């Protein structure tokens, strides 16, 4: 059984890569990693601590090129585009200073992207936070709810968002997003 | 029938002819018409029948307050009962029907009720229909119910889709009349994020009915300019056909937008919503909702052809519809005279103006005869008004022939939204109406809602209101430069209240829709229901679909008059959401049908599907419950086979849905020791332990295993049902109770695909894919650690734990690899006859083994009740639930405790939920000994077995009892026994 | 503030994202405290008409337990703090 | 004046001019043998049975607002006796029996309508729980039937059987359950009590309670001080607030619950239906409105209103059960304040003060209890001992661990 083929199956395995609703595109992200970084909670979100952590990460794993997304005081998702093996994860977890614990969530939290000129109108059908660019700028993340489903929303660009969701909800969210985007079907949107 | 369409009509497009049917008859209207204006244009004054007396009714208003003209529009799944004809836009092919009449609206048998009028006064049903008692449900009530209700709702599914959105703004402007438009322009020009919402199909509010000039420009041109500019401002969002229907905490406003309901079937885009719910979060709010014109309460005031003066003006100017050929006006205020002027300007004869004021302070330059100090006391005509009876101030009566009557009893500011959160409107003698509450619940009122009238003063009021909210937002602003108009004036100018015409002949309606008359209100007072809220409930005034928009203030006035106090001393009834009724569809949005709640899928879902699983909903999860094979037609066939296969060979089961929590931190062990009732401090690395978690009240919350993977790193599993609850509970403990402990929690439920491999050959199977030594010595019962798999290509977490009671392991692998690993196990296990098993088989095996689940852990049991009293640590000085667990009632020896139960005659069956009685005892609740919590057919034992919570518990092993199922009408003899039916010595577990 | 809560970590969020536990009772008694003290802590509530301190969990966001000072009549909210900060003040 | 078809006819001829007030509007007397605080269903029923069954007639009911302004006037009117626990079921069945003869008893048509209550189930576990419940009812002689899917479909063909997220598997039915016209219950009891000499005093808020040692001597009200022999609290959502006047802390939290009514419709739903896969229950009123509700808001509140999130949840659950509701429009929503006890069951007992009696903790289920609560509370007040069906509602059950937790969710009020 040593050679038994092992496939890493994405919950989006059967989903098309860039499904379009007029100008709205919904695309799964099937590679990369999501690590949950757990520091001791302090009761407030601390920017300097995050910068220090980012520096440490860059030093420990420069190859990963990941970024931090705030989850709560002392906790982040460390997200990047490269695939990371279990072994490599173990090394990184070992190298991180003792004050931080690391939990691999690459399989538990999956990502997709929604892009297009009317993307905010699409997301406003599920997300309560104000997506006005002046308020929720590029690079910002928020753990929130899309309809009934919890998800992290990250602004990648003016018209582009990444959504990180628990794997078990991925299928439902995928369909929900398509439903939300359906009105932009057609050439004019 | 003759057409009443005349020239003009700013809202209609005469090139856009639309056909529709009314009670089956084909009629025509224009684009821009409402159903009401189209009906009036076609000379249809009679449109429906009233609720109780089935009186002929026409169209009273031109807006949201309409009490009479409720029609059923559409058919099948697109049927909307109780639709206000005044708000429904006409589309091509629209089908409208009258309601509450049989056989038809012209000849309605129900009108007989009118003869019984006096008998059917307010609250009559409370006083009779009591004898004989059984007749209520059999005879009286069905009759009442048949008669009650208005439209008939469809049972057909609604083909339309719906959605809900959030919106954010600096300034929300509610209402787009002159005040709202001026406010939105001012705020928009200042750069604020503005949302302006209006329920109408077109912005403009009162301006739409304005036929004349504003300054030196036609009113419609002024309006077009303003609307054009608003649309052009990128920071202003204009929402037409959008009713703000509720004001909630923290400036959250609920609004519903008619996206496609006004379109013909052919024009509907199925990818778009029919209606859209908006949840608007606003920093500042301007209330520019206008004022409602009140009818006057006089005899026969409900005759078709009677209409509010403002509505008449709207039909005339905006829709080009003449209300009649010979019209009278009955009004107690100056504002309403405008209707007479406009009628005359369009060449319609105004037969008379009846004004109850002795010397109205108005300079009416028209031709109409002005009868001052007089009142209309009655009307005549069968299905439409033919004449009015006027009582002069000298007591003389005069009949005047008319075919329409405009009435105006003053104006009621539309204060609803300012009162949804409990604020009360304030009576104003000056305005003869209830004004917005003192601080207006954080909104700034502007325009008619604040007592202003005239376009000029509303412009100014709107702009000024906007400046004040902009300043509050820290924005510098100047009032928008707006067209000049006439001087400002007051909406209530010269209004003299008349709450009901004392000399009324016949029924004088206060609430048209619920058929409440002035007499009913007087009766309620006489009988002691004199508080405004009691009067409302006793008479049902204001409780119809219009919520008393046109009637409440008149009812209050009548109460006040009779008591000799000011209406302010009576007060209003409570304003509640929804301002106008809102469909379920809009409030539900996309969360309907199968999409009611999201589905959670296990990472092994695809694998289970490929293996033919039947799924079952467990909370949000879909779990594989059994795996039928060819030839198996009945679920039990599969389940029995799966169970036997595990007990004899080996099986694989998806347990990924169990909650999994990673626990890190220097104090993790101490933390676990405090949240579990049993000891956890000394759990060594590489070991798992079964734990019981109590609530602080000492009862069992959840159970599961926790493993020590490394120093300061633990892995907890919870039941599927309480996965979220346990995490939340642990977070509470960590953050609130003991923030000084270093413990960090991460949910890992979705990260891992987890499978149970159970059965005597479980080790043989796993050894084929796991590189490490998993012999009994190397990996004994309760061992737990990372293992290398597939020649080092994968690392998994292996746990030697068993729910089935067999030699068993649970292996967790990163979710994406779950399917491959499960496939590999199936291949590896082929030679051992491995078969997948589902939650049903799992359930059978755990009952056979006497293991508990939430069927037993039902929130009312202690560990001792479950036979696990010894697990409760006596040594630990503190853990959640320790003290309350020792209360007298929780250690009572007669508490129900866990036992096994089986039928005495092995062929007998029994059901979960059956109760236990002592043999020979009378069947009564007092004799209840307990109940069956779980049962199954045990293929190993060949008969039904169960678990039960029975008073006295294990003391009673061996006792014969009655297993009583009154619902099924069965009662069998059972025997109480040890719940471990299979392998009570745990030999298999340790093999 | 019963429609929206200003989470000190996440900003303004809808009530749907929160799990509410109810009143902040008397502090959790010491392990050796009397049964009656425990009874008080577990079962008795002030339940005032007016200012009220209560636990809300931002379960759909940062997953922190918060303590809200909220008025039970007007629903207006004063302070919202991370619950862990109360313990150090001896208030939890 | 007795109400009957005859009196109705007679008054019709006199143009309804001769109807007498349904109750007097007296000024408070200086002293009463028993003062009941709270003119809701329970307070009024207590006064009615005290005066009628136990012969105690020098009684006042003090109501801070108008008669029936509390929960009695704002609930979804469902009555049933489908309780699980031995401490609860006989009491609710006693109440059901009282409902069954109530209108003739107090000569007021409260439209007691035993149209049946069906609780749907969607899983084996729910079916098992209902089997246990139904059998507990049957043990006590209460009617209960477990319906399978087809039987439910026959009675309620318009539920979602085809595309439901949580398919309907069946239901537990109590045919004797149903609805009662809420306001009429308050009015009927008030009129009945008034005719027995009870003073019903509206707009009279109790602001303080006077005591002498462990004795209550009287109350201070917005209409002056009034002395009393015994004092009885039946203030539902205001329990903690009033109890605080005598330094009593209660295992109770106050929570808001919203209810709703749709536009009037021709007959649409014949029975009361509750949805097992979400909080939703619905019936149709005699006037034609669908009356329905859901779960409490979750936060403590004394404001009789709720928020939009709950409105949406209720609508979602409703439509999941009945897809045809999509185009039915909701007319009005309102709220009431629930006295949520820490085990979800009521408290009816003496207190630490010798002549103070407490009745509360009814959560969102106290309407159906109204007659029995009045009867049993009157029994307790008159005899000093609990009625045989209300012995489990003791105040000390929490401290002693004899909980009446039908749901099994423990000491968190908002979960009950
Ligand atoms: C929306 C909703 C739906 C419900 N649905 C159901 C249902 O379907 N079935 C069911 O069985 N139950 C239901 N209930 C619960 C039921 O209505 C209540 O449990 C029950 O009415 C409470 O008893 P009561 O009638 O005596 O209370 P209330 O009518 O609330 O009476 C208490 C009275 O005390 C008065 N009061 C308070 N403080 C003072 C004071 N200081 N001085 C003087 N007077 C005071 C109040 O003004 C009030 O009138 C529902 C409740 C609500 C709000
Ligand atoms: N009712 C009358 O007949 C009457 C009486 C006096 C004056 N007027 C005239 O009306 C104008 C008053 O100006 P104004 O701007 O104050 O009021 P308005 O009546 O012109 O505008 C109010 C607008 O708000 C809308 N609205 C009300 N409640 C709403 C809600 N909940 N959601 C969405 N939209 C809602 C209405 O449909 C209307 O379009 C003046 O021109 C005045 O002369 C009319
Ligand atoms: C069973 C029941 C049916 C109701 N039906 C109606 C109705 O048909 N129309 C209506 O306007 N209100 C109806 N209501 C709501 C009342 O108008 C009112 O909102 C409720 O009694 C609460 O009082 P409040 O809003 O004055 O606080 C109903 C209330 C109940 C309890
Ligand atoms: Zn947060």
């Amino acid at each position: 059984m040593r050679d038994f083929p092992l496939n890493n199956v994405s919950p989006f395995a059967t989903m098309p890569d860039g499904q379009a609703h007029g100008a709205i595109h919904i695309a799964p992200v099937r590679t990369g990693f999501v690590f949950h970084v757990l520091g001791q909670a302090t009761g407030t979100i601390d920017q300097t601590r995050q910068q220090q952590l980012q520096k440490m990460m860059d030093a420990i794993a420069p190859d990963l090129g990941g970024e931090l997304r705030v989850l709560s005081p002392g906790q982040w998702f460390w997200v990047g585009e490269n695939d990371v093996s279990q072994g490599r994860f173990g090394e990184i977890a070992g190298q991180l200073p003792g004050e931080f614990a690391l939990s691999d969530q690459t399989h538990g939290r999956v990502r997709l992207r929604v892009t297009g000129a009317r993307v905010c109108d699409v997301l406003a059908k599920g997300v309560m936070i104000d997506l006005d660019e002046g308020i929720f700028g590029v690079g910002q993340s928020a753990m929130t709810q899309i309809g009934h489903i919890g998800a992290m929303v990250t602004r990648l660009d003016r018209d582009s968002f990444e959504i990180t969701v628990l794997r078990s909800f991925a299928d439902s969210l995928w369909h929900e997003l398509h439903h939300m985007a359906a009105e932009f079907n057609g050439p004019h949107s | 029938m003759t057409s009443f369409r005349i020239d003009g009509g700013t809202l209609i497009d005469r090139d856009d002819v639309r056909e529709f049917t009314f009670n089956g008859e084909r009629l025509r209207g224009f684009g821009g018409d409402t159903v009401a204006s189209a009906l009036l244009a076609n000379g249809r004054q009679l449109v429906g029948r009233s609720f109780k007396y089935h009186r002929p009714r026409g169209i009273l208003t031109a807006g949201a307050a309409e009490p009479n003209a409720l029609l059923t529009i559409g058919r099948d799944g697109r049927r909307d009962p109780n639709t206000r004809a005044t708000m429904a836009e006409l589309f091509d092919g629209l089908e409208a029907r009258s309601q509450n009449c049989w056989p038809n609206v012209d000849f309605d048998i129900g009108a007989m009720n009118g003869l019984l009028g006096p008998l059917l006064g307010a609250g009559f049903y409370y006083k009779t229909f009591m004898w004989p008692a059984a007749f209520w449900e059999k005879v009286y009530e069905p009759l009442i119910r048949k008669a009650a209700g208005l439209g008939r709702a469809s049972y057909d599914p609604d083909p339309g889709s719906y959605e809900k959105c959030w919106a954010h703004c600096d300034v929300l402007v509610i209402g787009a009349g002159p005040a709202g438009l001026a406010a939105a322009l001012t705020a928009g020009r200042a750069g604020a994020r503005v949302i302006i919402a209006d329920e109408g199909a077109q912005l403009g509010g009162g301006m739409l009915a304005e036929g004349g000039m504003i300054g030196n420009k036609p009113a419609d041109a002024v309006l077009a300019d303003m609307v054009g500019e608003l649309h052009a401002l990128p920071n202003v969002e204009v929402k037409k056909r959008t009713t703000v229907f509720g004001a909630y905490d923290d400036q959250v406003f609920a609004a519903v937008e008619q996206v496609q309901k006004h379109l013909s079937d052919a024009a509907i885009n199925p990818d778009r919503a029919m209606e859209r719910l908006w949840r608007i979060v606003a920093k500042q709010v301007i209330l520019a909702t206008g004022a409602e014109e009140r009818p006057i309460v006089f005899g026969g005031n409900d005759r078709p052809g009677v209409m509010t003066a403002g509505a008449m003006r709207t039909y005339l100017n905006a829709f080009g519809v003449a209300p009649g050929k010979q019209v009278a006006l009955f009004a107690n205020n100056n504002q309403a005279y405008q209707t007479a002027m406009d009628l005359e300007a369009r060449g319609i004869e105004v037969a008379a103006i009846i004004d109850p004021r002795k010397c109205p302070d108005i300079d009416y330059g028209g031709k109409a005869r002005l009868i001052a100090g007089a009142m209309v006391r009655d009307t005549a005509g069968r299905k439409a008004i033919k004449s009015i009876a006027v009582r002069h101030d000298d007591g003389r009566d005069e009949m005047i022939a008319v075919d329409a009557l405009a009435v105006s009893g003053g104006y009621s500011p539309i204060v609803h939204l300012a009162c949804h959160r409990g604020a009360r409107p304030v009576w104003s003698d000056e305005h003869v109406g209830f004004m917005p509450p003192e601080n207006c619940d954080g909104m700034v009122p502007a325009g008619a809602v604040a007592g202003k009238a005239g376009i000029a003063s509303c412009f100014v009021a709107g702009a000024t209101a906007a400046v004040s909210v902009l300043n509050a937002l820290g924005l510098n602003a100047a009032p928008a430069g707006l067209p000049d108009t006439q001087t400002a004036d007051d909406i209530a100018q010269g209004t003299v209240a008349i709450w009901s015409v004392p000399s009324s002949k016949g029924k004088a309606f206060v609430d048209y829709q619920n058929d409440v008359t002035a007499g009913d209100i007087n009766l309620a007072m006489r009988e002691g229901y004199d508080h405004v809220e009691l009067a409302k409930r006793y008479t049902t005034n204001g409780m119809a679909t219009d919520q008393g928009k046109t009637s409440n203030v008149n009812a209050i006035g009548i109460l006040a008059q009779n008591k000799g106090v000011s209406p302010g001393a009576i007060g209003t009834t409570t304003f509640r959401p929804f301002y106008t009724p809102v469909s379920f569809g809009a409030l539900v949005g996309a969360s309907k049908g199968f999409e009611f709640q999201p589905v959670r899928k296990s990472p092994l879902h695809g694998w289970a599907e490929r293996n033919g699983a039947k799924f079952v909903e467990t909370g949000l999860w879909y779990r594989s419950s059994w795996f039928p094979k060819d030839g198996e037609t009945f679920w039990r066939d599969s389940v029995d086979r799966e169970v036997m296969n595990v007990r004899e060979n080996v099986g694989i089961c998806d347990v990924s849905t169990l909650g999994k929590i990673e626990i890190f931190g220097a104090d993790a062990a101490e933390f676990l020791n405090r949240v579990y009732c049993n000891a956890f401090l000394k759990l060594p690395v590489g070991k798992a332990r079964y734990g019981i978690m109590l609530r602080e009240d000492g009862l069992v919350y959840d159970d599961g295993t926790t493993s020590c993977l490394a120093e300061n790193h633990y892995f907890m599993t919870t039941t599927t049902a309480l996965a979220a609850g346990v995490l939340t509970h642990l977070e509470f403990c960590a953050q609130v109770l003991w923030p000084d402990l270093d413990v960090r929690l991460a949910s890992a439920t979705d990260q891992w695909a987890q499978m149970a491999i159970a059965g005597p050959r479980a080790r043989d199977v796993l050894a084929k894919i796991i590189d490490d030594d998993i012999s009994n010595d190397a990996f004994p019962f309760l061992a737990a650690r990372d293992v290398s798999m597939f020649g080092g290509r994968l690392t998994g977490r292996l746990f030697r734990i068993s729910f089935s009671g067999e030699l068993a392991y649970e292996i967790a692998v990163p979710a994406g690899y779950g399917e491959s690993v499960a496939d590999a196990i199936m291949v590896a296990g082929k030679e051992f006859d491995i078969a997948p098993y589902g939650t049903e088989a799992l359930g059978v095996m755990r009952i056979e083994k006497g293991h508990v689940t939430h069927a037993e852990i039902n929130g009312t049991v202690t560990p001792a009740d479950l036979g696990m009293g010894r697990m409760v640590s006596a040594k630990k000085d503190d853990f959640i639930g320790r003290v309350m667990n020792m209360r007298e009632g929780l250690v009572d020896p007669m508490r129900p405790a866990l036992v096994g139960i089986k039928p005495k005659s092995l062929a007998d069956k029994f059901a979960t939920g059956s109760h236990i009685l002592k043999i020979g005892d009378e069947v009564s609740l007092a004799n209840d000994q307990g109940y069956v919590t779980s049962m199954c057919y045990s293929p190993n034992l060949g008969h039904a077995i169960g678990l039960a919570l029975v008073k006295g518990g294990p003391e009673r092993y061996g006792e014969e009892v009655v297993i009583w199922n009154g619902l099924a009408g069965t009662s069998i003899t059972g025997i109480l026994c040890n719940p471990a039916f299979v392998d009570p010595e745990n030999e298999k577990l340790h093999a | 503030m019963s429609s929206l809560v200003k989470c000190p970590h996440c900003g303004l969020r809808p009530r749907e994202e929160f799990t509410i536990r109810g009143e902040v009772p008397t502090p959790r008694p010491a392990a050796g405290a009397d049964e009656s003290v425990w009874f008080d802590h577990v079962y008795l509530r002030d339940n005032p008409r007016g200012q009220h301190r209560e636990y809300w969990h931002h379960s759909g966001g940062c997953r922190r337990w918060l303590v809200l000072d909220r008025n039970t009549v007007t629903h207006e909210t004063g302070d919202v703090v991370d619950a862990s900060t109360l313990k150090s003040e001896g208030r939890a | 004046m007795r109400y009957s078809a005859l009196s109705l006819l007679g008054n019709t001829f006199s143009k309804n001019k001769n109807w007498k007030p349904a109750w007097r509007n007296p000024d408070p007397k200086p002293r009463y043998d028993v003062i009941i605080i709270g003119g809701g269903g329970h307070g009024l029923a207590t006064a009615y049975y005290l005066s009628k069954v136990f012969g105690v007639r020098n009684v006042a009911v003090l109501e801070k607002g108008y008669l029936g302004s509390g929960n009695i006037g704002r609930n979804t009117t469902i009555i049933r006796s489908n309780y699980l626990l031995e401490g609860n079921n006989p009491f609710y069945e006693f109440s059901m029996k009282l409902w069954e003869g109530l209108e003739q008893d107090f000569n007021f048509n409260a439209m007691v309508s035993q149209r049946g209550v069906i609780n749907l189930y969607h899983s084996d576990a729910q079916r098992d729980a209902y089997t246990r419940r139904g059998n507990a009812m049957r043990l006590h002689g209460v009617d209960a039937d477990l319906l399978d899917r087809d039987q439910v479909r026959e009675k309620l063909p318009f539920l979602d059987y085809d595309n439901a997220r949580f398919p309907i598997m069946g239901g537990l039915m109590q045919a004797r359950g149903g609805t009662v016209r809420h306001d009429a219950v308050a009015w009927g009891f008030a009129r009945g009590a008034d005719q027995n000499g009870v003073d019903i005093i509206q707009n009279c808020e109790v602001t303080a309670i006077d005591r002498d040692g462990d004795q209550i001597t009287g109350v201070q009200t917005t209409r002056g001080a009034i002395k009393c022999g015994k004092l009885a609290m039946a203030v539902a959502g205001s329990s903690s607030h009033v109890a605080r006047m005598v330094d009593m802390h209660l295992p109770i939290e106050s929570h808001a619950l919203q209810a709703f009514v749709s536009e009037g419709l021709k007959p649409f739903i014949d029975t009361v239906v509750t949805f097992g896969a979400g909080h939703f229950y619905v019936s149709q009123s005699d006037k034609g409105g669908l009356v329905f509700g859901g779960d409490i808001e979750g936060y403590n509140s004394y404001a009789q209103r709720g928020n939009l999130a709950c409105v949406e949840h209720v609508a979602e659950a409703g439509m999941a059960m009945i897809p045809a509701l999509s185009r039915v429009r909701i007319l009005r929503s309102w709220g009431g304040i629930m006295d949520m006890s820490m085990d979800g069951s009521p408290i009816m007992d003496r207190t630490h003060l010798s002549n103070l009696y407490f009745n509360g903790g009814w959560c969102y289920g106290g309407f159906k209890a109204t007659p029995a609560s009045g009867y049993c509370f009157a029994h307790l007040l008159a005899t000093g001992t609990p009625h045989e069906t209300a012995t489990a509602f003791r105040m000390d059950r929490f401290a002693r661990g004899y909980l009446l937790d039908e749901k099994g969710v423990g000491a968190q009020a908002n979960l009950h």
Side-chain angles (χ1 to χ4, degrees), chain B residues 536-537 543 547 576, chain D residues 73-75 77 182 332 334:
Chain B
K536 159 186 153 174
R537 286 156 173 78
M543 297 180 78
Q547 292 285 287
R576 294 280 189 187
Chain D
R74 50 190 72 238
N75 67 81
T77 77
H182 55 293
R332 186 175 171 99
W334 62 93

Side-chain angles (χ1 to χ4, degrees), chain C residues 7-11 13 18 58 61-64 66:
Chain C
C7 173
H9 312 304
C10 308
R13 295 301 183 89
F18 295 83
H58 195 184
C62 61
R63 298 202 64 88
R64 295 295 298 178
L66 310 176

Side-chain angles (χ1 to χ4, degrees), chain D residues 33-174:
Chain D
D33 291 342
V34 177
I35 286 181
I36 298 164
I37 315 177
H42 293 209
L44 293 166
T46 305
Y48 176 76
Y49 289 110
L50 256 185
S51 57
K52 179 174 175 184
V53 178
F54 299 95
V56 185
R57 284 164 184 251
N58 184 19
V59 176
V61 178
L62 309 185
E63 167 53 50
K64 73 172 176 188
Y66 62 94
L67 204 156
S69 51
N71 292 336
I72 186 75
R74 50 190 72 238
N75 67 81
T76 42
T77 77
I78 300 168
I79 62 165
R80 53 183 170 89
S81 56
N82 59 359
Y83 281 71
L84 176 68
L85 300 178
E86 197 185 324
N88 275 329
N89 184 288
F91 170 84
Y92 286 99
E93 176 57 13
F94 177 48
S95 207
M96 185 61 85
K97 294 246 165 68
L98 289 173
W99 283 120
E100 286 171 339
L102 186 64
E103 297 155 294
Q104 290 69 29
D105 191 61
F106 67 20
N107 181 231
F108 202 91
N109 185 357
M111 306 179 197
V112 176
S113 179
Q114 294 181 291
R115 11 195 4 92
V117 174
I118 298 178
N119 302 112
L120 301 178
Y121 60 82
H122 313 263
S123 68
D124 289 353
Q126 270 183 337
R127 180 203 54 213
D128 293 348
Y130 281 152
T131 307
R132 179 186 167 203
R133 178 181 298 259
N135 276 323
M137 293 161 68
R138 288 274 189 127
L139 276 178
H140 190 60
V142 180
D143 69 307
D145 290 287
L146 197 68
L147 310 181
D148 63 20
R149 185 179 153 101
D150 289 340
Q151 289 168 310
V152 173
R153 196 195 268 266
E154 201 172 297
K155 290 191 187 310
L156 306 164
F158 46 82
L159 304 185
D160 190 353
Y161 298 93
D162 305 321
N163 187 35
R165 172 71 179 82
F166 301 102
I168 294 162
M169 288 174 60
L172 178 67
M173 180 172 81
Q174 183 180 21

